[in-house]
Amino acid sequence: MIQKIEIHNFRCFEETKISGFKRVNLIGGKNNSGKTALLEALFLNNSQTPLNVIELRRIRGERLAFLKAFPEKAWNSLFFNQDKDKSIKFISDGDVTEFKINSDIPGGNRRIIEKLEDENKFESLESDYKQSRLKAEWIFNANVWDTCFIASSNGIELNDSMTPKISRKVHFIPASYRLFNTDLASEFDQADFNGNSDRVLNFIKLIDKTIVQVKAFNLGEHTFYLKREEGGFLPISLFGEAIIKITDIVLKIINYKSSILLIDEIENGIHHTNQLEFWKMLFKLAEEFDIQIFATTHSGEMIRAFTNAGLEELEAGNDDIAAYVELARNVRTGRIAGIVRDVEQLDYELNHEMGVRGE
């Protein structure tokens, strides 16, 4: 499991070191304190595939149209204060020891070949060709792998190169991203094949106890269906965002053993009366499938439920299950710091109304 991370020159982090992560980690703090950015740093440092640099653009909702119009600005948002003269660097105690991102804008013209209406004729044209490059470098066990992305008015090109072949999988569930029904259906097929369909159903029943069956059908399109006590099967898209989100969460856990799961704004759609049981089951599944979870929240009720579930685990002798990470700016340096509390410390501060969300 990841126990610590260093972040340099990435988004809102000029230089930050956080240590003390446990199996399930809940991240709090004021708006713009770096909660989502911390998830992104963990995603890039531990994903071990260059395509996740592109995947992060999709998760953020960054449109390709802007990149094509302003390719020279394609990577600006990754860098602290958009300072591309300094490299981004992540260091952790996991498999990947270091991850660097560097950027340069070479400028100048480039000769491009444009295809004409007559497919047998080509014409060479000189044209202003704005572009920016992003070099990503992984350092693992003294070995170095790197790759280069080129953003231009044509989109993004990847300069294929050797990248680390490490089996760890990292999944990112954004706050506002809705998974396609076909994707959920495929994920459920995998869970069902491995005999885990009841686990999916039990997790969904935390939100809606009237649901009695889950199934994937291919009726023109591969779709995930739910069935209530009374009535027939209906597509999961008709059951609301909370059901979709927790289904995505449980499928990512049971289908990808020994992986990392990142969840932004975990409280979205989950009623406060269901949150304690939600955390208790999440702790259980994380242990069983060897999953490390990092989740952000703005909700005091979710923090309280997390604390109570963690205290129950502590009483059962599991003292490495849960940590709360509060992100806040140092009043002297202005840099973001991560304050890590175990559930006993968190419980004490909640009971004494001490601010734990950056207050």
Side-chain angles (χ1 to χ4, degrees):
M1 290 196 302
I2 301 168
Q3 294 182 327
K4 60 185 177 182
I5 189 171
E6 294 183 25
I7 308 171
H8 302 267
N9 201 45
F10 178 68
R11 289 199 60 185
C12 55
F13 295 105
E14 182 179 7
E15 184 176 332
T16 296
K17 299 179 182 180
I18 306 173
S19 61
F21 296 135
K22 296 190 176 182
R23 169 74 62 187
V24 182
N25 304 276
L26 186 61
I27 304 161
K30 290 183 177 180
N31 289 335
N32 298 317
S33 62
K35 297 185 296 296
T36 302
L38 175 56
L39 296 186
E40 292 181 358
L42 290 162
F43 181 69
L44 290 177
N45 189 50
N46 293 279
S47 57
Q48 299 121 27
T49 167
L51 293 180
N52 274 355
V53 176
I54 307 302
E55 176 71 4
L56 186 57
R57 289 182 52 84
R58 184 193 64 78
I59 290 170
R60 288 177 166 191
E62 296 182 3
R63 300 182 64 83
L64 192 60
F66 176 84
L67 181 147
K68 289 181 176 180
F70 304 100
E72 69 276 16
K73 301 180 184 293
W75 315 113
N76 287 12
S77 62
L78 291 174
F79 293 81
F80 177 74
N81 286 344
Q82 301 189 23
D83 184 358
K84 295 185 290 183
D85 291 331
K86 298 178 182 177
S87 66
I88 294 168
K89 184 165 65 173
F90 310 122
I91 303 173
S92 74
D93 55 359
D95 290 333
V96 173
T97 58
E98 193 168 324
F99 175 57
K100 294 181 180 180
I101 298 179
N102 297 285
S103 179
D104 70 288
I105 305 176
N109 294 330
R110 174 177 167 180
R111 181 175 294 275
I112 59 174
I113 304 297
E114 185 174 296
K115 190 174 183 179
L116 303 180
E117 290 184 7
D118 184 345
E119 63 181 4
N120 295 316
K121 294 180 180 180
F122 292 86
E123 182 180 346
S124 296
L125 299 174
E126 287 289 341
S127 173
D128 272 344
Y129 190 85
K130 293 181 180 179
Q131 63 171 333
S132 58
R133 297 179 181 180
L134 185 76
K135 181 181 178 182
E137 179 180 86
W138 288 262
I139 302 174
F140 170 61
N141 286 350
N143 295 312
V144 179
W145 295 266
D146 63 76
T147 192
C148 183
F149 303 92
I150 302 173
S152 71
S153 55
N154 294 326
I156 297 178
E157 302 171 34
L158 176 63
N159 178 18
D160 290 330
S161 62
M162 188 178 223
T163 53
K165 305 297 182 182
I166 303 170
S167 60
R168 176 190 282 174
K169 189 74 174 175
V170 183
H171 291 101
F172 196 133
I173 300 178
S176 58
Y177 174 67
R178 184 166 178 167
L179 200 66
F180 289 114
N181 198 327
T182 52
D183 295 327
L184 281 175
S186 296
E187 292 275 10
F188 176 76
D189 281 346
Q190 182 177 336
D192 193 22
F193 181 80
N194 292 321
N196 288 317
S197 60
D198 286 345
R199 296 176 185 272
V200 179
L201 175 60
N202 291 335
F203 207 73
I204 292 174
K205 287 172 75 70
L206 291 175
I207 304 299
D208 189 340
K209 292 181 173 55
T210 68
I211 295 173
V212 295
Q213 195 173 354
V214 292
K215 198 75 176 175
F217 295 108
N218 197 342
L219 303 174
E221 182 179 67
H222 201 198
T223 305
F224 188 50
Y225 289 86
L226 308 179
K227 184 178 185 296
R228 286 201 168 105
E229 293 170 348
E230 298 180 2
F233 283 100
L234 292 172
I236 191 174
S237 56
L238 301 180
F239 287 80
E241 292 294 335
I243 292 288
I244 295 172
K245 184 164 189 173
I246 69 162
T247 301
D248 193 13
I249 290 171
V250 69
L251 287 171
K252 291 295 191 298
I253 291 173
I254 65 180
N255 284 343
Y256 301 96
K257 192 173 181 179
S258 301
S259 64
I260 299 169
L261 180 59
L262 311 171
I263 310 168
D264 202 13
E265 297 185 18
I266 193 170
E267 73 275 11
N268 285 359
I270 302 176
H271 195 267
H272 68 91
T273 57
N274 298 321
Q275 289 174 359
L276 177 60
E277 293 303 317
F278 170 82
W279 281 116
K280 288 164 68 173
M281 188 170 288
L282 206 59
F283 288 159
K284 179 181 177 182
L285 290 173
E287 281 278 288
E288 182 178 353
F289 290 90
D290 187 28
I291 305 295
Q292 189 172 20
I293 297 173
F294 296 86
T296 70
T297 187
H298 290 283
S299 167
E301 292 171 327
M302 186 59 101
I303 295 172
R304 181 76 262 181
F306 172 84
T307 305
N308 291 340
L311 288 171
E312 289 188 22
E313 291 287 335
L314 197 62
E315 290 175 4
N318 190 354
D319 58 359
D320 198 38
I321 186 68
Y324 178 74
V325 183
E326 179 188 348
L327 297 181
R329 290 192 180 274
N330 184 301
V331 294
R332 183 175 59 85
T333 65
R335 291 178 175 177
I336 295 172
I339 305 163
V340 180
R341 300 175 176 89
D342 60 31
V343 290
E344 286 184 311
Q345 293 172 308
L346 183 59
D347 181 54
Y348 177 86
E349 296 189 14
L350 288 172
N351 289 336
H352 290 79
E353 297 183 352
M354 301 168 68
V356 295
R357 289 181 292 168
E359 289 95 337

